[in-house]
Amino acid sequence: MIVRTIRVEAWRCFVEPLEVGPFAEDITILHAPNATGKSTLLAAMRHGFCDHHRAKGDGVEALRPWGRSLSPIIRVDFLSGGIDYRLEKRYLEGAFSRILRLEGGRFVPVAEGREADELARTFINSDPPGKGLAYRPENWGLAQVLWVPQGRLPLTGLSGNVIADLQRAIGAELAGTIGGPIEKRIDAAYYGIFTPGGSYSKGCLASKLRAELERECAALAAATEHWNQFQNTSREVEDLRSRVEGLKRTALDLEHKLEAERERAASYAALITERDRQRDAVARATAEYGQLDQTIRSIVSLREERGKARSAIALIEESLPRLSGEVASLAVAAEEKQTVLEEAKAGADAVRAARALADMAGRFVSLREKVHAMHDRLEIVSAVRAGLAERRRLRSAIIAPSSKALAEMRSAIAARDRARAALEAALVTLEIVPDRECVADVVAGEELGLLELEAGRPIELKGSPAVVVNFPGFGKLRARGPVGDIEGVRKERERAAGRLTKATEGYGTADLDELEERCAEAARVDVEISNAEAKLSGVLGGQAEEELRQERARATAALEEISAGHPEWLAEYPDVEALRGAALRAEEAFEMAVVEAEANRDAKVHDLNGARAQESASRRDLENRDRQAERLESQLRALTADGLSDEDRARRLAEIAIKQHAAGELLRKAEDGLARFGDDPRVTVVTLESQLAAANEASRKGLIEEKLAEGRLKEIAKGSPYAALARAEESVTALKENLAREECRADAIRLLHLTVSACRKEIENAVVAPVEQIATRTLHRIAGVRLGSVQLGSGFKPETIEPGVDDVTGQRLRIGVDQLSDGESEQLHFGVRLALAEHLAKDERQLVVFDDVLLATDAVRLARMTAILEDYAQRLQVVILTCHPERYGGLKSARFIDLEAVLRVCPTDAQAAVA
Amino acid sequence: MKFLHTADWQIGMKAAHAGRAAQRVRAERMAAAIRVIEIARQEAVDFIVVAGDTFEDNGVERALVQQVGDILSSFGRPVYLIPGNHDPFVPGSVWEHPVWSMAKSVRVLAEEEPVEVCGGLLFPCPILAKYSRKDPTAWIRAEQSRGICLGVAHGTVEGLCQEEPDYPIPLDAPNMRSLDYLALGHWHSTTGYSRPDGSVRMAYSGTHETTKFGERDSGNVLIVEIAAPGVPPVITQARTGGLYWTVLERELLDDGDLERVVDEISEIDTAEHTLIDVRLRGLITPSKRNWLDRIDDLLQARFVCGRLGTSGLRITPQDDSWLADLPVGPVRGAAERLRSIADPAGGEARPAGVTTETASRALLELYSILRSDR
């Protein structure tokens, strides 16, 4: 099919009727700037051949011109099978579809409405959707290959019908006429179950069954768990019953044991009582025996001691007179030695006098030196005080401002100067330098009145805002200046002058330099006063002068007192050291004499005391012996107060011994009886009672647990766990069977689909080879042999190129087309499109449209491509839509249509626009 | 002494193998129980002995327990039951249901103690746990007993094929235990154990209603009559089952066989009481595929439960008439390849995981697609 003319009306940007054509049978370049409507024309033609005229929806609405409610119309005149046809379609309001055929020079209707739609599609073998527009390329039929919209040069895979057409065209004839529909049904059956990835689709029966099976399996697991719980609880109850029975038996055994043990405990307790009683009897007899035995022994012993005491008394009484004589003679000797000692001590006064003389001489010397030193310090103090008084007098005579007052003065002077300068600046100054003497009358200015001017003597007049001077006979001279607040400035100056006067009054002068000198002199005198005060303080050492004078007076008085007793020391200083040596020697001699006398006296006194002590000891010993003898006598009387004789006591002692032995025997028997019991049966009774209580408690608790478990068991049994399990298991089994059946069917359909796909692939491969060869040849013409051969994939989609070299593994290297540059990718797809178009045009010339697709190709290769297009134009009708017609200038035989020019001229006179 | 011996009612049994008829199968077991009572009345037996497994499990619905209790009570004369390995006498068992204490004529014998029955003594061997290797009859001491001595036990008689025989019972147990008759339960087929003298003194009554496909001689009870101690019992078998479990295995050798199978199935006049499992093998031509659908329709429409097994069917390798009608291209190529895969003797290499059965089914699916196209 080739196209003659295209006419559109009310179609997007074309509101008015526009007819483009006639197109050349070989090459036509339809050119216009961007947004003129080239692509719209291609799209309109595609709509015309593919879409139902009654199509509705937003897509069809979008075909109207913007903001208008016109119905889009398309008319295409074309040649197919050697016959000229006309396709006319109108969309939306007043929609119609019509195919006409040129017969006898005029177009005669062939089909209308739906039939016309169907017939139109057969020209490009399109397969549009049931509703809406055929937007998707897979619905475009041959146009998928032949009509290339902007930006869609790469092939993305062809639909089944086009592949079949290509197969037929290539001559493979491997797929029969009904093969396509059967394959579709096989695909439909497959994709009704599986996803393109080969897994089960969510909506298929197998998936639903699996989901249901999962749910039922979960229910089965829950039911199984419930049933197991029932079984386990039953076992638990059984175990608890067994345990409770065991505990009851244990309790019964314990009761029996306890009864027997209690009887033994009673016997044991009786023996304990007997043992304790006999133990008391033995203890009592033992005590009584011991007491009597002790009495007898004591009597014997006392009698012996009493005899010894009487012998000692006799000996002491015999030695006492001799000891008294020794004491008397020793007392006389000690008295004599005491007298000698007192005589030696009488030399102490002389020693004290010598020591006092030496001390007084030392004090005399010390006082003399002290008096002299204090006198010197008081002299210095007097001198410093005199100097200080003089400087203070000088300082009081200096009238100087303080540094703060000085700063205030400086501030006032600065303010006054600033105000004065401001005043100067605010005043108009008129300087007159007369050549000769004359008189001037100042009528405006600071100072008014007549002025006499001398020749050559300049004079300045000031005023504000002007200075006006009349020169009689000459005229009036007026000088104006800046206008300011002259009074304000004056007040400021007065305030500053007042501040200065106030600051300097009292100093006798306002001369700042003099005042600063005074201030410096006052500071110097202040330093001298400060230094003198520091010196005075250092000499006094923290004392007051008066204190120092009093201290000197006291020292002088003490000195005079000493010299009154020793006037010779006034003439000559005493030798203190000599005096002290003499005193020391006298003291040492005195001390030696006293020590010797004391030692003699002490020796005698010691002897005397020894004799006296011996005498006293003998007397005390005598007294003690007397008291001892008396006490022993008393004790003997007490022990023998029972009135018994020694023989009676001996007899009584023997009786008690017999009684003690008898009680001991009974005690041993009781203890033997207890020993035969081993452990205390009363302890065992307590233990058994505790065990019995524990067993009863455990039994009670076990019974409660048993009842609780029974309750749980009944509750579970009420839920019929097995019935639920049975239902769940039946459901799961049924689902498994259904699933297995469905999966078996699915496996069969998968195998069928895969086998058909494999066969289709093999056939496609056989068909693809000729296309690959032509595409490769075209690519070589454009880009040279560097890129090697082209390989197509499923649906004739270019996949790889094979440059003819091996990779590192020794395999032929294949490169994905996505790795090519934009230009080479464009050239590859161009070649593949043309190869496919050549096959499709085997029976009839076909229209090929390229809508601004060769954009990335350089000028050299584009020239080659245009040459290729010229070749193909012998078998194809090539229409190129472009905004760069100059790029196709090399196509000498091409027909160029300027769409913009067509739009400018009468729409129906488009031929005028053809270059 | 005349009594009815039954066992293995398995009330509440799960019947996953019966598919959608599971509930019907359960209901039939209850109906069969009623028929047992009817036969007992007709035969005017003195009492009924149920030799265990009255219930499928202790966790069955309590309403079923009540129903069974009511059915047994309706007999009006003594009924003696022992717990079996499916419903052992354990805590929470069906035997704790109040119906057993309220039904005066029905006695659950849960202890190994002889019970006086009409004309003799009954030695019960109750089951107290699901599994045991102990002979349940070992406790019986009937040597000194007067009158007819019966035993009722639940277990596996020595010689029956079982990996781990639970509750084993000696083959000469009646002789060892001095019993005139030992009523057994556990195995579902009716089986009597003949002594050398031809007398039968130990038997499995079998289940009163068949439980599954392939279960031999089940759906019966035994009427046992013993004239006097030591006299061989007279045993009569009575049918109580309501359902028929039929297995139909056929090999298809030619095109007519499938039609004949359809005729055979159509002629079954007890279809409304029959569960049927049809298993086909052999060769089939795709053109006969609709006959399989016909069989399936018959099974689903007429029978209580129908299963159709076709995994043994293969496509006839010689049948290529329909392949010639396929359009030249991938479809015909695929069909020829699948036919070769489906042929066990075919030379086509089978893809991994693909069986001849799958290939056959794929061809049948293709045939269905072609047929639906027309």
Side-chain angles (χ1 to χ4, degrees):
Chain A
M1 182 199 89
I2 62 170
V3 69
R4 301 277 196 208
T5 60
I6 303 171
R7 186 179 189 278
V8 290
E9 182 180 341
W11 195 286
R12 294 179 68 95
C13 60
F14 303 116
V15 179
E16 298 297 329
L18 171 74
E19 183 171 316
V20 181
F23 292 92
E25 289 195 4
D26 46 7
I27 301 180
T28 302
I29 310 296
L30 179 62
H31 62 92
N34 289 333
T36 311
K38 302 184 296 294
S39 299
T40 304
L41 282 174
L42 177 61
M45 192 165 67
R46 202 172 56 234
H47 280 298
F49 279 97
C50 293
D51 293 332
H52 301 281
H53 69 285
R54 291 195 179 280
K56 293 193 185 317
D58 293 343
V60 189
E61 288 292 334
L63 299 179
R64 295 185 202 264
W66 290 350
R68 296 165 199 267
S69 57
L70 301 174
S71 301
I73 299 171
I74 170 79
R75 190 185 82 191
V76 183
D77 288 353
F78 61 97
L79 178 70
S80 179
I83 300 171
D84 276 298
Y85 288 95
R86 171 168 287 173
L87 165 70
E88 291 179 344
K89 276 193 184 178
R90 177 175 176 145
Y91 293 92
L92 299 169
E93 293 81 11
F96 70 81
S97 175
R98 188 158 50 210
I99 301 276
L100 303 102
R101 189 164 57 204
L102 188 63
E103 293 177 5
R106 65 188 187 90
F107 281 103
V108 180
V110 177
E112 288 187 345
R114 187 173 291 277
E115 286 181 4
D117 289 341
E118 295 297 326
L119 181 60
R121 283 186 206 119
T122 62
F123 292 110
I124 60 168
N125 195 17
S126 70
D127 185 18
K131 286 185 176 178
L133 295 180
Y135 282 110
R136 299 165 71 87
E138 59 265 32
N139 299 322
W140 295 349
L142 299 181
Q144 286 177 76
V145 177
L146 302 177
W147 302 355
V148 188
Q150 214 167 25
R152 291 188 179 177
L153 184 59
L155 273 170
T156 53
L158 301 177
S159 66
N161 286 352
V162 178
I163 293 171
D165 281 345
L166 282 164
Q167 289 165 347
R168 189 173 57 248
I170 292 166
E173 291 296 342
L174 293 173
T177 52
I178 63 167
I182 295 171
E183 283 183 58
K184 276 188 178 176
R185 275 191 286 281
I186 291 169
D187 284 348
Y190 178 78
Y191 289 114
I193 300 171
F194 297 102
T195 63
S199 53
Y200 283 111
S201 64
K202 283 183 181 172
C204 75
L205 181 58
S207 292
K208 287 176 184 169
L209 286 170
R210 277 186 176 182
E212 198 177 345
L213 181 59
E214 274 181 28
R215 284 196 297 276
E216 287 300 321
C217 282
L220 176 60
T224 306
E225 174 63 28
H226 196 213
W227 186 66
N228 287 338
Q229 199 182 354
F230 174 67
Q231 306 279 345
N232 293 337
T233 311
S234 171
R235 274 194 289 277
E236 188 187 346
V237 171
E238 206 167 17
D239 292 346
L240 283 167
R241 282 179 185 169
S242 166
R243 194 174 133 211
V244 168
E245 281 303 315
L247 286 167
K248 282 180 180 171
R249 278 195 301 275
T250 304
L252 199 62
D253 288 349
L254 283 170
E255 276 177 11
H256 292 151
K257 279 183 189 170
L258 186 59
E259 199 175 339
E261 204 62 23
R262 276 177 179 149
E263 285 176 10
R264 289 184 71 229
S267 304
Y268 188 83
L271 277 173
I272 289 283
T273 307
E274 174 64 13
R275 182 198 65 185
D276 293 345
R277 198 169 61 80
Q278 293 306 327
R279 193 176 277 169
D280 288 346
V282 168
R284 277 196 306 276
T286 305
E288 194 179 354
Y289 180 88
Q291 193 179 357
L292 184 57
D293 185 51
Q294 184 60 40
T295 302
I296 293 169
R297 290 175 193 276
S298 296
I299 289 170
V300 171
S301 171
L302 284 172
R303 283 175 180 157
E304 286 177 1
E305 282 183 34
R306 186 181 60 186
K308 287 178 184 171
R310 284 176 178 167
S311 301
I313 288 169
L315 283 174
I316 293 167
E317 283 174 344
E318 188 182 334
S319 64
L320 265 178
R322 181 182 51 82
L323 288 172
S324 297
E326 281 180 14
V327 168
S329 64
L330 283 170
V332 171
E335 194 65 30
E336 288 171 355
K337 293 297 179 187
Q338 181 63 31
T339 305
V340 172
L341 175 61
E342 285 171 1
E343 286 172 0
K345 283 181 179 176
D349 292 341
V351 172
R352 275 194 295 274
R355 194 161 51 213
L357 182 61
D359 290 344
M360 189 174 292
R363 188 155 174 260
F364 177 81
V365 171
S366 171
L367 282 170
R368 283 288 295 262
E369 289 172 356
K370 188 177 177 183
V371 167
H372 282 299
M374 283 193 288
H375 183 75
D376 292 345
R377 282 172 66 195
L378 284 168
E379 285 295 315
I380 294 168
V381 168
S382 297
V384 173
R385 279 199 187 283
L388 188 59
E390 178 59 22
R391 279 174 182 76
R392 280 181 178 150
R393 189 188 58 76
L394 281 174
R395 178 65 184 85
S396 61
I398 299 169
I399 301 169
S402 65
S403 56
K404 186 179 174 185
L406 208 54
E408 170 58 20
M409 287 173 203
R410 287 194 191 101
S411 171
I413 288 167
R416 184 197 62 190
D417 292 345
R418 280 197 302 275
R420 193 177 284 167
L423 187 61
E424 285 292 321
L427 289 172
V428 176
T429 304
L430 178 63
E431 185 179 0
I432 302 166
V433 184
D435 289 336
R436 58 183 176 80
E437 289 182 355
C438 61
V439 175
D441 183 9
V442 181
V443 293
E446 288 288 292
E447 294 172 1
L448 304 178
L450 292 174
L451 284 175
E452 289 184 354
L453 306 176
E454 294 175 12
R457 182 184 168 199
I459 187 166
E460 281 186 353
L461 298 174
K462 295 182 182 291
S464 176
V467 176
V468 182
V469 182
N470 281 333
F471 291 94
F474 174 71
K476 186 181 283 181
L477 191 64
R478 182 187 300 273
R480 291 192 187 90
V483 178
D485 183 9
I486 192 74
E487 287 310 316
V489 175
R490 276 201 182 100
K491 283 179 184 172
E492 183 63 29
R493 186 189 62 180
E494 292 308 319
R495 274 199 300 275
R499 273 179 63 198
L500 181 62
T501 305
K502 187 178 176 186
T504 55
E505 69 185 358
Y507 296 107
T509 181
D511 186 349
L512 185 62
D513 293 338
E514 186 182 342
L515 288 172
E516 282 177 341
E517 280 178 12
R518 283 188 196 173
C519 187
E521 178 63 16
R524 185 183 60 76
V525 174
D526 285 344
V527 169
E528 285 176 0
I529 289 168
S530 175
N531 290 340
E533 284 173 349
K535 186 174 181 182
L536 185 62
S537 175
V539 172
L540 287 172
Q543 279 184 303
E545 188 181 347
E546 189 54 36
E547 282 177 15
L548 190 62
R549 289 184 188 282
Q550 287 174 3
E551 192 178 347
R552 186 181 65 175
R554 283 195 298 277
T556 305
L559 194 62
E560 285 171 355
E561 187 182 341
I562 293 169
S563 56
H566 298 278
E568 71 277 9
W569 289 353
L570 291 174
E572 186 181 357
Y573 271 26
D575 186 349
V576 176
E577 288 306 316
L579 289 171
R580 282 178 179 160
L584 188 62
R585 284 190 296 275
E587 188 173 357
E588 285 173 354
F590 167 74
E591 283 176 354
M592 283 180 65
V594 169
V595 167
E596 187 181 350
E598 279 178 346
N600 293 333
R601 193 246 354 238
D602 289 345
K604 287 301 176 189
V605 168
H606 180 262
D607 292 344
L608 175 61
N609 288 341
R612 281 177 176 164
Q614 196 174 359
E615 184 191 11
S616 296
S618 294
R619 290 187 187 281
R620 279 195 306 277
D621 194 16
L622 181 61
E623 287 172 4
N624 288 338
R625 295 289 178 181
D626 285 344
R627 278 198 296 274
Q628 182 189 12
E630 192 176 337
R631 192 178 67 247
L632 291 170
E633 199 62 43
S634 168
Q635 286 174 351
L636 268 173
R637 277 196 303 274
L639 289 173
T640 55
D642 54 2
L644 296 177
S645 63
D646 289 346
E647 291 73 18
D648 291 341
R649 285 191 195 95
R651 208 166 31 250
R652 173 67 184 150
L653 189 63
E655 285 170 5
I656 291 170
I658 291 166
K659 190 171 150 191
Q660 181 193 19
H661 179 72
E665 279 300 309
L666 289 172
L667 175 62
R668 190 181 53 76
K669 280 182 183 174
E671 284 177 340
D672 287 348
L674 287 170
R676 278 194 295 275
F677 273 92
D679 293 334
D680 188 346
R682 293 169 304 175
V683 175
T684 312
V685 166
V686 171
T687 306
L688 284 172
E689 282 172 347
S690 167
Q691 287 176 352
L692 179 60
N696 284 330
E697 179 61 16
S699 174
R700 190 184 64 80
K701 283 182 178 171
L703 204 56
I704 291 169
E705 278 184 53
E706 180 191 324
K707 295 300 170 197
L708 288 173
E710 280 177 355
R712 284 202 305 277
L713 186 61
K714 277 183 183 166
E715 278 304 308
I716 296 169
K718 270 187 198 169
S720 309
Y722 185 79
L725 178 67
R727 279 194 296 273
E729 205 168 302
E730 285 162 5
S731 178
V732 165
T733 305
L735 280 169
K736 279 182 177 171
E737 285 175 1
N738 288 342
L739 181 61
R741 200 176 304 121
E742 184 55 27
E743 284 181 340
C744 185
R745 177 174 163 269
D747 286 346
I749 287 173
R750 182 183 1 226
L751 178 62
L752 176 61
H753 179 261
L754 291 175
T755 311
V756 170
S757 296
C759 291
R760 185 194 297 150
K761 180 73 182 171
E762 289 166 10
I763 291 169
E764 274 180 11
N765 287 341
V767 174
V768 157
V771 180
E772 286 177 343
Q773 287 171 6
I774 296 173
T776 300
R777 203 163 54 232
T778 304
L779 188 62
H780 287 179
R781 285 183 67 186
I782 299 168
V785 297
R786 185 180 66 84
L787 296 177
S789 60
V790 178
Q791 287 79 44
L792 304 181
S794 173
F796 295 95
K797 183 182 173 186
E799 285 188 344
T800 56
I801 59 164
E802 198 174 281
V805 295
D806 294 342
D807 62 12
V808 290
T809 63
Q811 301 289 317
R812 297 302 276 180
L813 180 66
R814 285 196 167 188
I815 298 168
V817 294
D818 54 342
Q819 294 182 45
L820 295 176
S821 70
D822 288 349
E824 288 184 331
S825 175
E826 189 174 274
Q827 292 143 26
L828 181 143
H829 287 291
F830 174 79
V832 172
R833 290 260 187 190
L834 286 178
L836 290 169
E838 183 173 345
H839 285 295
L840 289 170
K842 190 166 260 180
D843 298 331
E844 183 184 11
R845 180 183 287 267
Q846 293 288 353
L847 168 65
V848 177
V849 184
F850 291 106
D851 182 2
D852 251 349
V853 291
L854 304 176
L855 300 176
T857 301
D858 62 43
V860 175
R861 291 192 180 184
L862 185 66
R864 293 174 192 158
M865 289 163 83
T866 54
I868 291 167
L869 280 175
E870 278 190 316
D871 285 357
Y872 273 96
Q874 293 175 2
R875 300 178 291 284
L876 301 169
Q877 181 190 33
V878 179
V879 175
I880 295 172
L881 311 181
T882 181
C883 52
H884 297 288
E886 72 281 358
R887 301 185 74 190
Y888 299 94
L891 293 169
K892 301 301 179 191
S893 61
R895 177 176 294 173
F896 285 75
I897 299 177
D898 183 352
L899 183 60
E900 203 172 26
V902 174
L903 286 166
R904 280 197 299 271
V905 300
C906 174
T908 54
D909 194 13
Q911 288 186 13
V914 176
Chain B
M1 175 191 287
K2 187 177 182 182
F3 62 94
L4 185 147
H5 168 198
T6 184
D8 298 290
W9 286 9
Q10 317 274 144
I11 298 295
M13 178 189 85
K14 63 182 139 188
H17 53 293
R20 58 185 165 81
Q23 189 54 41
R24 167 81 186 274
V25 167
R26 275 192 285 276
E28 283 293 342
R29 302 192 79 75
M30 196 65 86
I34 294 168
R35 286 193 288 277
V36 171
I37 301 302
E38 285 169 0
I39 289 172
R41 284 203 186 106
Q42 287 165 15
E43 295 291 334
V45 298
D46 299 320
F47 55 91
I48 296 173
V49 171
V50 186
D53 283 358
T54 311
F55 296 94
E56 172 71 5
D57 190 271
N58 278 326
V60 297
E61 287 173 64
R62 268 23 190 177
L64 293 178
V65 183
Q66 179 70 48
Q67 286 172 28
V68 170
D70 291 345
I71 290 168
L72 292 173
S73 295
S74 69
F75 176 48
R77 308 196 71 180
V79 178
Y80 301 101
L81 302 99
I82 60 166
N85 66 320
H86 274 263
D87 51 4
F89 193 82
V90 293
S93 71
V94 289
W95 311 114
E96 290 180 358
H97 195 281
V99 70
W100 309 118
S101 54
M102 292 174 73
K104 304 295 181 194
S105 59
V106 181
R107 282 189 68 181
V108 178
L109 305 176
E111 292 181 3
E112 295 173 338
E113 284 179 1
V115 177
E116 280 191 26
V117 295
C118 180
L121 276 178
L122 175 62
F123 292 83
C125 306
I127 297 297
L128 306 179
K130 272 188 179 289
Y131 306 101
S132 173
R133 304 294 297 271
K134 194 186 82 173
D135 172 11
T137 66
W139 75 277
I140 297 174
R141 299 286 182 272
E143 303 87 355
Q144 306 302 320
S145 302
R146 294 179 179 178
I148 297 167
C149 290
L150 303 178
V152 55
H154 191 88
T156 303
V157 173
E158 285 175 354
L160 284 171
C161 182
Q162 202 173 30
E163 275 187 18
E164 285 189 21
D166 50 340
Y167 293 106
I169 295 169
L171 198 56
D172 61 343
N175 191 39
M176 288 168 70
R177 313 300 178 211
S178 304
L179 296 172
D180 292 296
Y181 181 77
L182 179 56
L184 295 179
H186 195 40
W187 287 80
H188 290 193
S189 299
T190 306
T191 310
Y193 290 87
S194 302
R195 303 181 69 194
D197 61 0
S199 64
V200 173
R201 287 170 57 192
M202 179 170 75
Y204 284 107
S205 64
T207 177
H208 70 319
E209 177 68 57
T210 307
T211 56
K212 60 185 178 184
F213 288 112
E215 199 170 75
R216 177 190 57 81
D217 199 11
S218 56
N220 307 309
V221 292
L222 297 178
I223 307 297
V224 184
E225 199 167 359
I226 305 172
V231 176
V234 177
I235 301 171
T236 314
Q237 182 174 320
R239 169 84 187 165
T240 51
L243 293 175
Y244 301 94
W245 296 68
T246 306
V247 177
L248 195 71
E249 273 190 284
R250 295 293 179 266
E251 182 172 9
L252 308 182
L253 300 173
D254 59 53
D255 274 2
D257 285 347
L258 206 52
E259 285 91 327
R260 280 188 283 280
V261 170
V262 171
D263 291 343
E264 199 175 350
I265 291 169
S266 301
E267 285 165 8
I268 295 174
D269 55 359
T270 57
E272 68 270 27
H273 300 294
T274 302
L275 296 95
I276 188 165
D277 184 5
V278 179
R279 299 168 190 171
L280 300 180
R281 55 192 168 85
L283 300 172
I284 184 174
T285 57
S287 58
K288 294 293 178 186
R289 190 193 187 287
N290 56 337
W291 284 94
L292 294 177
D293 295 340
R294 170 72 183 135
I295 292 171
D296 202 33
D297 291 346
L298 274 175
L299 298 184
Q300 302 310 320
R302 289 190 183 173
F303 290 83
V304 176
C305 169
R307 291 171 174 277
L308 176 60
T310 60
S311 60
L313 286 179
R314 300 283 176 273
I315 296 292
T316 310
Q318 293 78 21
D319 178 29
D320 56 0
S321 56
W322 65 286
L323 295 183
D325 294 338
L326 287 172
V328 175
V331 177
R332 185 191 283 189
E336 287 169 348
R337 196 170 293 175
L338 287 172
R339 190 183 61 168
S340 181
I341 294 170
D343 183 2
E348 188 76 31
R350 272 201 297 276
V354 173
T355 61
T356 55
E357 184 193 349
T358 309
S360 292
R361 284 211 56 143
L363 275 174
L364 291 174
E365 291 294 337
L366 175 59
Y367 188 80
S368 294
I369 287 169
L370 290 173
R371 196 175 59 174
S372 68
D373 182 37
R374 287 162 194 162

